Amino acid sequence: MGTTTRTPSLRLTEAGGTVSRRARCDREARWGRGARTVVAVARMPWRWVCAVVWVLAVGLFTGCTPSPSLETAQTPSPTATTTSSPTPPPVLVDDSFDAKLRTCVVPESRVGTELLSQTDAELAARLSLAAANAPGQLVGQVVDALSGEVIWQQDADQDMTPASNMKLLTALAVVSALGVDATFSTRAVLNPDGTVTLVGGGDPMLVSEPDTRLYGLTQPGSLRSLAEATAAELWERDVTSVTLNWDESLLGPAEPNPLWFLVPGWSDMVLPPSSLWVDKQLYRGSYSYSSRYDAEEATAVFAEYLRDAGITVPHTYQPVTASTEAQRLASMQSLPLREIVRVMLQYSDNSYAELLGRHLALAFGNPPTIAGVNETLTAWLTRHGLWREGTLILDSSGMVSESKVSPEVFAATIHWAVTSGRPELHQVLRSLPSADEGTLTSHFVDAPDVAGRLRAKSGTHGDSTGEVSALSGYAVDWTGRVLAFSFIINHSLASHDDTAYALDVVVGVLPQCDT
């Protein structure tokens, strides 16, 4: 018997239910059209003719009309039925939303039949069974990513410590504000008093040497190339000796969040955000940091490169604010924001998340401070109808265990991004690691079929109240429907690994290829 691979697609449903009357009418409309239908009926025995007439009559009295095709149904029909709780008009997302997600191989005999659809009740029962065996307090929600219809939930409005799931909110917020093509500029400027200032632009992936690779990515520029271009411009101006200082005022002072001090070993997991650091890398299979990363050390490296190019530079450097009348000597751009966000989500880089939070605050005209970032994220959620009573955001990376976000907020945010009609937000979702990428390589080790069938942001934390484990993202069920989900465990007394494994078992229910 042959098999058919179903391509990922988002199922369009009416607000009234998952199997809508319009879907039934589509099938009826496809039974016959035009002259072929008339000829077919004319050749039928009289009993079949009566049956056809009866079906047509039922269609008329039940109000069935053919629905527009998926390619053209960009807005609801003017005659679409509304409910007492109307949902936003669905925006269809074709298979290119995430073409890399694998789907189940289904026998041809079952394609297009009622047997193909796993009922939501069956899925909910499986989720409940798996959730019952989870340690600690598990809350969660699963929704149809297109319609927003709730498929399953358990205390979904309960505010929990989200851990690094917070990075998903930060990523969507900063991309929605700046776009995926935004870059951050590091500049060297000549002040009216003859001094040169190295001005940080908040590039989290600034490197010293051209061949330095962060997270496997080659950077478009380096401090050395910037210094060489700066020296060339100084030589053009007959300037061979300068005093060099630095300006990191764009994103405010590089200070740690006071609540980080409550996290054991916090300094091994995050750097105070600065608009000027160099060679910062967190993930090389384990947590590690370069010995050169702060603004003063970045300036010292830049000065050494200027000396290599023949410019005399004293060995003392001061923090300053560059003059508004300063002339640009040279500049370089960061990688586009899409790459920075992808790295941040794939490898759960806390420092990148905190830095992007500062950029988000600036984009909304707020101060790039800890309070400014938290207020901006809260306002962004509120603006898009995603904030819920009790939501508390205290950082942009999830390092702070006192932050509280419910699964309902995460699921609603993913649904909003899917139906936003904005490709850049779809790109953020596609940047989440699949089950065999980034931080998810240690998840679903006993479920190889899950690999490539879901994407999620993981989150782990641990404090005196127990272990925290979280997964928020989307998966393709075996019918090809995309489901948005968020599951969070708090207060688990099991080990870190056992807590994460229990959550994997629950989430692994979603993309199972059962036939």
Side-chain angles (χ1 to χ4, degrees), residues 111-147:
V111 174
T113 71
E114 292 298 330
L115 294 176
L116 182 63
S117 297
Q118 178 188 31
T119 68
D120 293 342
E122 291 172 342
L123 177 60
R126 292 186 180 188
L127 288 169
S128 295
L129 182 61
N133 296 316
Q137 180 185 6
L138 182 145
V139 299
Q141 187 176 71
V142 179
V143 304
D144 186 306
L146 181 61
S147 70

PDB file of all heavy atoms in Angstrom, residues 111-147:
ATOM      1  N   VAL A 111      -5.805   8.981   3.825  1.00  0.00           N
ATOM      2  CA  VAL A 111      -5.761  10.391   3.457  1.00  0.00           C
ATOM      3  C   VAL A 111      -7.152  10.844   3.028  1.00  0.00           C
ATOM      4  O   VAL A 111      -7.803  10.222   2.201  1.00  0.00           O
ATOM      5  CB  VAL A 111      -4.747  10.632   2.325  1.00  0.00           C
ATOM      6  CG1 VAL A 111      -4.822  12.072   1.844  1.00  0.00           C
ATOM      7  CG2 VAL A 111      -3.350  10.299   2.812  1.00  0.00           C
ATOM      8  N   GLY A 112      -7.600  11.947   3.584  1.00  0.00           N
ATOM      9  CA  GLY A 112      -8.887  12.513   3.216  1.00  0.00           C
ATOM     10  C   GLY A 112     -10.064  11.862   3.892  1.00  0.00           C
ATOM     11  O   GLY A 112     -11.203  12.198   3.601  1.00  0.00           O
ATOM     12  N   THR A 113      -9.832  10.926   4.803  1.00  0.00           N
ATOM     13  CA  THR A 113     -10.935  10.276   5.491  1.00  0.00           C
ATOM     14  C   THR A 113     -11.084  10.832   6.887  1.00  0.00           C
ATOM     15  O   THR A 113     -10.186  11.483   7.427  1.00  0.00           O
ATOM     16  CB  THR A 113     -10.709   8.759   5.579  1.00  0.00           C
ATOM     17  OG1 THR A 113      -9.639   8.514   6.511  1.00  0.00           O
ATOM     18  CG2 THR A 113     -10.348   8.166   4.231  1.00  0.00           C
ATOM     19  N   GLU A 114     -12.222  10.559   7.479  1.00  0.00           N
ATOM     20  CA  GLU A 114     -12.461  11.026   8.843  1.00  0.00           C
ATOM     21  C   GLU A 114     -11.501  10.372   9.831  1.00  0.00           C
ATOM     22  O   GLU A 114     -11.204  10.904  10.886  1.00  0.00           O
ATOM     23  CB  GLU A 114     -13.909  10.732   9.252  1.00  0.00           C
ATOM     24  CG  GLU A 114     -14.940  11.558   8.500  1.00  0.00           C
ATOM     25  CD  GLU A 114     -14.786  13.051   8.746  1.00  0.00           C
ATOM     26  OE1 GLU A 114     -14.334  13.432   9.836  1.00  0.00           O
ATOM     27  OE2 GLU A 114     -15.105  13.829   7.837  1.00  0.00           O
ATOM     28  N   LEU A 115     -10.995   9.164   9.464  1.00  0.00           N
ATOM     29  CA  LEU A 115     -10.093   8.466  10.365  1.00  0.00           C
ATOM     30  C   LEU A 115      -8.770   9.204  10.521  1.00  0.00           C
ATOM     31  O   LEU A 115      -8.028   8.959  11.455  1.00  0.00           O
ATOM     32  CB  LEU A 115      -9.820   7.047   9.843  1.00  0.00           C
ATOM     33  CG  LEU A 115     -11.016   6.096   9.823  1.00  0.00           C
ATOM     34  CD1 LEU A 115     -10.605   4.772   9.185  1.00  0.00           C
ATOM     35  CD2 LEU A 115     -11.542   5.863  11.238  1.00  0.00           C
ATOM     36  N   LEU A 116      -8.456  10.110   9.585  1.00  0.00           N
ATOM     37  CA  LEU A 116      -7.167  10.793   9.621  1.00  0.00           C
ATOM     38  C   LEU A 116      -7.065  11.749  10.792  1.00  0.00           C
ATOM     39  O   LEU A 116      -5.994  11.948  11.358  1.00  0.00           O
ATOM     40  CB  LEU A 116      -6.947  11.562   8.310  1.00  0.00           C
ATOM     41  CG  LEU A 116      -5.617  12.298   8.180  1.00  0.00           C
ATOM     42  CD1 LEU A 116      -4.474  11.310   8.207  1.00  0.00           C
ATOM     43  CD2 LEU A 116      -5.583  13.097   6.899  1.00  0.00           C
ATOM     44  N   SER A 117      -8.139  12.346  11.172  1.00  0.00           N
ATOM     45  CA  SER A 117      -8.104  13.399  12.189  1.00  0.00           C
ATOM     46  C   SER A 117      -8.137  12.799  13.589  1.00  0.00           C
ATOM     47  O   SER A 117      -9.082  12.118  13.956  1.00  0.00           O
ATOM     48  CB  SER A 117      -9.294  14.358  12.010  1.00  0.00           C
ATOM     49  OG  SER A 117      -9.211  14.997  10.770  1.00  0.00           O
ATOM     50  N   GLN A 118      -7.079  13.058  14.324  1.00  0.00           N
ATOM     51  CA  GLN A 118      -7.088  12.695  15.734  1.00  0.00           C
ATOM     52  C   GLN A 118      -7.964  13.708  16.452  1.00  0.00           C
ATOM     53  O   GLN A 118      -7.748  14.906  16.348  1.00  0.00           O
ATOM     54  CB  GLN A 118      -5.665  12.751  16.293  1.00  0.00           C
ATOM     55  CG  GLN A 118      -5.578  12.428  17.774  1.00  0.00           C
ATOM     56  CD  GLN A 118      -4.167  12.688  18.310  1.00  0.00           C
ATOM     57  OE1 GLN A 118      -3.492  13.561  17.809  1.00  0.00           O
ATOM     58  NE2 GLN A 118      -3.766  11.934  19.302  1.00  0.00           N
ATOM     59  N   THR A 119      -8.969  13.242  17.155  1.00  0.00           N
ATOM     60  CA  THR A 119      -9.868  14.195  17.787  1.00  0.00           C
ATOM     61  C   THR A 119      -9.167  14.930  18.910  1.00  0.00           C
ATOM     62  O   THR A 119      -8.246  14.416  19.549  1.00  0.00           O
ATOM     63  CB  THR A 119     -11.105  13.474  18.348  1.00  0.00           C
ATOM     64  OG1 THR A 119     -10.705  12.645  19.441  1.00  0.00           O
ATOM     65  CG2 THR A 119     -11.785  12.635  17.289  1.00  0.00           C
ATOM     66  N   ASP A 120      -9.623  16.162  19.134  1.00  0.00           N
ATOM     67  CA  ASP A 120      -9.031  16.964  20.192  1.00  0.00           C
ATOM     68  C   ASP A 120      -9.259  16.321  21.555  1.00  0.00           C
ATOM     69  O   ASP A 120      -8.434  16.449  22.460  1.00  0.00           O
ATOM     70  CB  ASP A 120      -9.632  18.378  20.166  1.00  0.00           C
ATOM     71  CG  ASP A 120      -9.225  19.138  18.923  1.00  0.00           C
ATOM     72  OD1 ASP A 120      -8.244  18.727  18.278  1.00  0.00           O
ATOM     73  OD2 ASP A 120      -9.896  20.133  18.583  1.00  0.00           O
ATOM     74  N   ALA A 121     -10.363  15.627  21.697  1.00  0.00           N
ATOM     75  CA  ALA A 121     -10.633  14.958  22.969  1.00  0.00           C
ATOM     76  C   ALA A 121      -9.596  13.878  23.247  1.00  0.00           C
ATOM     77  O   ALA A 121      -9.126  13.720  24.381  1.00  0.00           O
ATOM     78  CB  ALA A 121     -12.038  14.365  22.960  1.00  0.00           C
ATOM     79  N   GLU A 122      -9.224  13.126  22.219  1.00  0.00           N
ATOM     80  CA  GLU A 122      -8.211  12.098  22.387  1.00  0.00           C
ATOM     81  C   GLU A 122      -6.860  12.708  22.741  1.00  0.00           C
ATOM     82  O   GLU A 122      -6.141  12.210  23.608  1.00  0.00           O
ATOM     83  CB  GLU A 122      -8.090  11.275  21.106  1.00  0.00           C
ATOM     84  CG  GLU A 122      -9.304  10.395  20.826  1.00  0.00           C
ATOM     85  CD  GLU A 122      -9.225   9.747  19.461  1.00  0.00           C
ATOM     86  OE1 GLU A 122      -8.434  10.238  18.628  1.00  0.00           O
ATOM     87  OE2 GLU A 122      -9.948   8.777  19.226  1.00  0.00           O
ATOM     88  N   LEU A 123      -6.511  13.796  22.049  1.00  0.00           N
ATOM     89  CA  LEU A 123      -5.251  14.473  22.340  1.00  0.00           C
ATOM     90  C   LEU A 123      -5.246  15.005  23.767  1.00  0.00           C
ATOM     91  O   LEU A 123      -4.249  14.861  24.494  1.00  0.00           O
ATOM     92  CB  LEU A 123      -5.031  15.617  21.347  1.00  0.00           C
ATOM     93  CG  LEU A 123      -3.778  16.473  21.557  1.00  0.00           C
ATOM     94  CD1 LEU A 123      -2.523  15.612  21.465  1.00  0.00           C
ATOM     95  CD2 LEU A 123      -3.728  17.610  20.538  1.00  0.00           C
ATOM     96  N   ALA A 124      -6.332  15.623  24.177  1.00  0.00           N
ATOM     97  CA  ALA A 124      -6.419  16.160  25.530  1.00  0.00           C
ATOM     98  C   ALA A 124      -6.294  15.058  26.573  1.00  0.00           C
ATOM     99  O   ALA A 124      -5.651  15.245  27.621  1.00  0.00           O
ATOM    100  CB  ALA A 124      -7.736  16.913  25.711  1.00  0.00           C
ATOM    101  N   ALA A 125      -6.895  13.901  26.292  1.00  0.00           N
ATOM    102  CA  ALA A 125      -6.813  12.788  27.245  1.00  0.00           C
ATOM    103  C   ALA A 125      -5.378  12.307  27.395  1.00  0.00           C
ATOM    104  O   ALA A 125      -4.913  12.011  28.506  1.00  0.00           O
ATOM    105  CB  ALA A 125      -7.719  11.651  26.781  1.00  0.00           C
ATOM    106  N   ARG A 126      -4.659  12.229  26.293  1.00  0.00           N
ATOM    107  CA  ARG A 126      -3.263  11.802  26.351  1.00  0.00           C
ATOM    108  C   ARG A 126      -2.414  12.808  27.124  1.00  0.00           C
ATOM    109  O   ARG A 126      -1.534  12.430  27.901  1.00  0.00           O
ATOM    110  CB  ARG A 126      -2.711  11.630  24.938  1.00  0.00           C
ATOM    111  CG  ARG A 126      -3.319  10.476  24.164  1.00  0.00           C
ATOM    112  CD  ARG A 126      -2.608  10.297  22.841  1.00  0.00           C
ATOM    113  NE  ARG A 126      -3.166   9.207  22.061  1.00  0.00           N
ATOM    114  CZ  ARG A 126      -2.612   8.749  20.938  1.00  0.00           C
ATOM    115  NH1 ARG A 126      -1.507   9.301  20.491  1.00  0.00           N
ATOM    116  NH2 ARG A 126      -3.160   7.751  20.286  1.00  0.00           N
ATOM    117  N   LEU A 127      -2.644  14.094  26.865  1.00  0.00           N
ATOM    118  CA  LEU A 127      -1.898  15.127  27.585  1.00  0.00           C
ATOM    119  C   LEU A 127      -2.166  15.054  29.081  1.00  0.00           C
ATOM    120  O   LEU A 127      -1.252  15.164  29.902  1.00  0.00           O
ATOM    121  CB  LEU A 127      -2.260  16.508  27.041  1.00  0.00           C
ATOM    122  CG  LEU A 127      -1.720  16.849  25.654  1.00  0.00           C
ATOM    123  CD1 LEU A 127      -2.375  18.126  25.120  1.00  0.00           C
ATOM    124  CD2 LEU A 127      -0.196  17.020  25.675  1.00  0.00           C
ATOM    125  N   SER A 128      -3.420  14.886  29.449  1.00  0.00           N
ATOM    126  CA  SER A 128      -3.777  14.813  30.872  1.00  0.00           C
ATOM    127  C   SER A 128      -3.116  13.620  31.542  1.00  0.00           C
ATOM    128  O   SER A 128      -2.650  13.706  32.689  1.00  0.00           O
ATOM    129  CB  SER A 128      -5.295  14.743  31.032  1.00  0.00           C
ATOM    130  OG  SER A 128      -5.913  15.936  30.570  1.00  0.00           O
ATOM    131  N   LEU A 129      -3.065  12.500  30.843  1.00  0.00           N
ATOM    132  CA  LEU A 129      -2.440  11.304  31.399  1.00  0.00           C
ATOM    133  C   LEU A 129      -0.947  11.524  31.629  1.00  0.00           C
ATOM    134  O   LEU A 129      -0.410  11.166  32.686  1.00  0.00           O
ATOM    135  CB  LEU A 129      -2.657  10.125  30.458  1.00  0.00           C
ATOM    136  CG  LEU A 129      -2.087   8.766  30.920  1.00  0.00           C
ATOM    137  CD1 LEU A 129      -2.740   8.341  32.225  1.00  0.00           C
ATOM    138  CD2 LEU A 129      -2.283   7.712  29.840  1.00  0.00           C
ATOM    139  N   ALA A 130      -0.278  12.132  30.647  1.00  0.00           N
ATOM    140  CA  ALA A 130       1.156  12.401  30.795  1.00  0.00           C
ATOM    141  C   ALA A 130       1.410  13.442  31.877  1.00  0.00           C
ATOM    142  O   ALA A 130       2.362  13.332  32.657  1.00  0.00           O
ATOM    143  CB  ALA A 130       1.739  12.860  29.461  1.00  0.00           C
ATOM    144  N   ALA A 131       0.558  14.479  31.926  1.00  0.00           N
ATOM    145  CA  ALA A 131       0.742  15.550  32.902  1.00  0.00           C
ATOM    146  C   ALA A 131       0.552  15.051  34.332  1.00  0.00           C
ATOM    147  O   ALA A 131       1.164  15.578  35.270  1.00  0.00           O
ATOM    148  CB  ALA A 131      -0.225  16.695  32.610  1.00  0.00           C
ATOM    149  N   ALA A 132      -0.289  14.036  34.515  1.00  0.00           N
ATOM    150  CA  ALA A 132      -0.565  13.528  35.857  1.00  0.00           C
ATOM    151  C   ALA A 132       0.675  12.923  36.499  1.00  0.00           C
ATOM    152  O   ALA A 132       0.767  12.843  37.731  1.00  0.00           O
ATOM    153  CB  ALA A 132      -1.684  12.493  35.794  1.00  0.00           C
ATOM    154  N   ASN A 133       1.635  12.502  35.694  1.00  0.00           N
ATOM    155  CA  ASN A 133       2.843  11.871  36.214  1.00  0.00           C
ATOM    156  C   ASN A 133       4.009  12.831  36.367  1.00  0.00           C
ATOM    157  O   ASN A 133       5.113  12.413  36.735  1.00  0.00           O
ATOM    158  CB  ASN A 133       3.256  10.714  35.297  1.00  0.00           C
ATOM    159  CG  ASN A 133       2.225   9.603  35.273  1.00  0.00           C
ATOM    160  OD1 ASN A 133       1.711   9.221  36.312  1.00  0.00           O
ATOM    161  ND2 ASN A 133       1.921   9.104  34.082  1.00  0.00           N
ATOM    162  N   ALA A 134       3.788  14.115  36.069  1.00  0.00           N
ATOM    163  CA  ALA A 134       4.862  15.096  36.155  1.00  0.00           C
ATOM    164  C   ALA A 134       5.108  15.494  37.608  1.00  0.00           C
ATOM    165  O   ALA A 134       4.161  15.611  38.395  1.00  0.00           O
ATOM    166  CB  ALA A 134       4.520  16.326  35.320  1.00  0.00           C
ATOM    167  N   PRO A 135       6.347  15.738  37.997  1.00  0.00           N
ATOM    168  CA  PRO A 135       6.631  16.172  39.364  1.00  0.00           C
ATOM    169  C   PRO A 135       6.308  17.645  39.547  1.00  0.00           C
ATOM    170  O   PRO A 135       6.155  18.395  38.571  1.00  0.00           O
ATOM    171  CB  PRO A 135       8.134  15.932  39.491  1.00  0.00           C
ATOM    172  CG  PRO A 135       8.651  16.130  38.092  1.00  0.00           C
ATOM    173  CD  PRO A 135       7.569  15.608  37.187  1.00  0.00           C
ATOM    174  N   GLY A 136       6.197  18.060  40.805  1.00  0.00           N
ATOM    175  CA  GLY A 136       5.953  19.463  41.093  1.00  0.00           C
ATOM    176  C   GLY A 136       4.599  19.928  40.602  1.00  0.00           C
ATOM    177  O   GLY A 136       3.638  19.164  40.491  1.00  0.00           O
ATOM    178  N   GLN A 137       4.513  21.211  40.274  1.00  0.00           N
ATOM    179  CA  GLN A 137       3.281  21.814  39.785  1.00  0.00           C
ATOM    180  C   GLN A 137       3.409  22.064  38.288  1.00  0.00           C
ATOM    181  O   GLN A 137       4.216  22.892  37.860  1.00  0.00           O
ATOM    182  CB  GLN A 137       2.994  23.130  40.511  1.00  0.00           C
ATOM    183  CG  GLN A 137       1.723  23.825  40.059  1.00  0.00           C
ATOM    184  CD  GLN A 137       1.533  25.188  40.705  1.00  0.00           C
ATOM    185  OE1 GLN A 137       2.412  25.679  41.416  1.00  0.00           O
ATOM    186  NE2 GLN A 137       0.391  25.808  40.450  1.00  0.00           N
ATOM    187  N   LEU A 138       2.622  21.350  37.490  1.00  0.00           N
ATOM    188  CA  LEU A 138       2.658  21.529  36.046  1.00  0.00           C
ATOM    189  C   LEU A 138       1.415  22.276  35.592  1.00  0.00           C
ATOM    190  O   LEU A 138       0.290  21.917  35.951  1.00  0.00           O
ATOM    191  CB  LEU A 138       2.734  20.186  35.322  1.00  0.00           C
ATOM    192  CG  LEU A 138       2.832  20.275  33.781  1.00  0.00           C
ATOM    193  CD1 LEU A 138       3.711  19.169  33.230  1.00  0.00           C
ATOM    194  CD2 LEU A 138       1.449  20.212  33.116  1.00  0.00           C
ATOM    195  N   VAL A 139       1.636  23.325  34.823  1.00  0.00           N
ATOM    196  CA  VAL A 139       0.544  24.062  34.196  1.00  0.00           C
ATOM    197  C   VAL A 139       0.844  24.146  32.708  1.00  0.00           C
ATOM    198  O   VAL A 139       1.997  24.045  32.294  1.00  0.00           O
ATOM    199  CB  VAL A 139       0.388  25.474  34.796  1.00  0.00           C
ATOM    200  CG1 VAL A 139       0.081  25.406  36.283  1.00  0.00           C
ATOM    201  CG2 VAL A 139       1.659  26.307  34.582  1.00  0.00           C
ATOM    202  N   GLY A 140      -0.192  24.313  31.903  1.00  0.00           N
ATOM    203  CA  GLY A 140       0.062  24.375  30.478  1.00  0.00           C
ATOM    204  C   GLY A 140      -1.171  24.682  29.670  1.00  0.00           C
ATOM    205  O   GLY A 140      -2.301  24.654  30.171  1.00  0.00           O
ATOM    206  N   GLN A 141      -0.926  24.966  28.403  1.00  0.00           N
ATOM    207  CA  GLN A 141      -2.020  25.222  27.472  1.00  0.00           C
ATOM    208  C   GLN A 141      -1.573  24.854  26.068  1.00  0.00           C
ATOM    209  O   GLN A 141      -0.415  25.086  25.683  1.00  0.00           O
ATOM    210  CB  GLN A 141      -2.462  26.682  27.505  1.00  0.00           C
ATOM    211  CG  GLN A 141      -3.706  26.970  26.670  1.00  0.00           C
ATOM    212  CD  GLN A 141      -4.181  28.410  26.806  1.00  0.00           C
ATOM    213  OE1 GLN A 141      -3.540  29.319  26.306  1.00  0.00           O
ATOM    214  NE2 GLN A 141      -5.310  28.607  27.486  1.00  0.00           N
ATOM    215  N   VAL A 142      -2.507  24.278  25.294  1.00  0.00           N
ATOM    216  CA  VAL A 142      -2.291  23.958  23.883  1.00  0.00           C
ATOM    217  C   VAL A 142      -3.434  24.579  23.098  1.00  0.00           C
ATOM    218  O   VAL A 142      -4.606  24.384  23.437  1.00  0.00           O
ATOM    219  CB  VAL A 142      -2.261  22.436  23.646  1.00  0.00           C
ATOM    220  CG1 VAL A 142      -2.059  22.135  22.167  1.00  0.00           C
ATOM    221  CG2 VAL A 142      -1.165  21.781  24.479  1.00  0.00           C
ATOM    222  N   VAL A 143      -3.096  25.339  22.054  1.00  0.00           N
ATOM    223  CA  VAL A 143      -4.120  25.974  21.236  1.00  0.00           C
ATOM    224  C   VAL A 143      -3.829  25.721  19.766  1.00  0.00           C
ATOM    225  O   VAL A 143      -2.686  25.461  19.374  1.00  0.00           O
ATOM    226  CB  VAL A 143      -4.206  27.499  21.486  1.00  0.00           C
ATOM    227  CG1 VAL A 143      -4.439  27.796  22.959  1.00  0.00           C
ATOM    228  CG2 VAL A 143      -2.955  28.212  20.986  1.00  0.00           C
ATOM    229  N   ASP A 144      -4.871  25.767  18.965  1.00  0.00           N
ATOM    230  CA  ASP A 144      -4.705  25.763  17.511  1.00  0.00           C
ATOM    231  C   ASP A 144      -3.982  27.056  17.145  1.00  0.00           C
ATOM    232  O   ASP A 144      -4.455  28.150  17.438  1.00  0.00           O
ATOM    233  CB  ASP A 144      -6.075  25.699  16.838  1.00  0.00           C
ATOM    234  CG  ASP A 144      -5.976  25.548  15.329  1.00  0.00           C
ATOM    235  OD1 ASP A 144      -5.297  26.377  14.695  1.00  0.00           O
ATOM    236  OD2 ASP A 144      -6.600  24.621  14.795  1.00  0.00           O
ATOM    237  N   ALA A 145      -2.821  26.931  16.514  1.00  0.00           N
ATOM    238  CA  ALA A 145      -1.990  28.102  16.266  1.00  0.00           C
ATOM    239  C   ALA A 145      -2.648  29.116  15.353  1.00  0.00           C
ATOM    240  O   ALA A 145      -2.288  30.296  15.374  1.00  0.00           O
ATOM    241  CB  ALA A 145      -0.641  27.679  15.675  1.00  0.00           C
ATOM    242  N   LEU A 146      -3.605  28.682  14.538  1.00  0.00           N
ATOM    243  CA  LEU A 146      -4.276  29.609  13.631  1.00  0.00           C
ATOM    244  C   LEU A 146      -5.530  30.201  14.246  1.00  0.00           C
ATOM    245  O   LEU A 146      -5.709  31.416  14.280  1.00  0.00           O
ATOM    246  CB  LEU A 146      -4.620  28.913  12.322  1.00  0.00           C
ATOM    247  CG  LEU A 146      -5.308  29.793  11.281  1.00  0.00           C
ATOM    248  CD1 LEU A 146      -4.416  30.959  10.895  1.00  0.00           C
ATOM    249  CD2 LEU A 146      -5.671  28.984  10.039  1.00  0.00           C
ATOM    250  N   SER A 147      -6.403  29.358  14.745  1.00  0.00           N
ATOM    251  CA  SER A 147      -7.685  29.848  15.246  1.00  0.00           C
ATOM    252  C   SER A 147      -7.607  30.340  16.684  1.00  0.00           C
ATOM    253  O   SER A 147      -8.453  31.122  17.122  1.00  0.00           O
ATOM    254  CB  SER A 147      -8.747  28.743  15.153  1.00  0.00           C
ATOM    255  OG  SER A 147      -8.476  27.711  16.105  1.00  0.00           O
TER     256      SER A 147
END
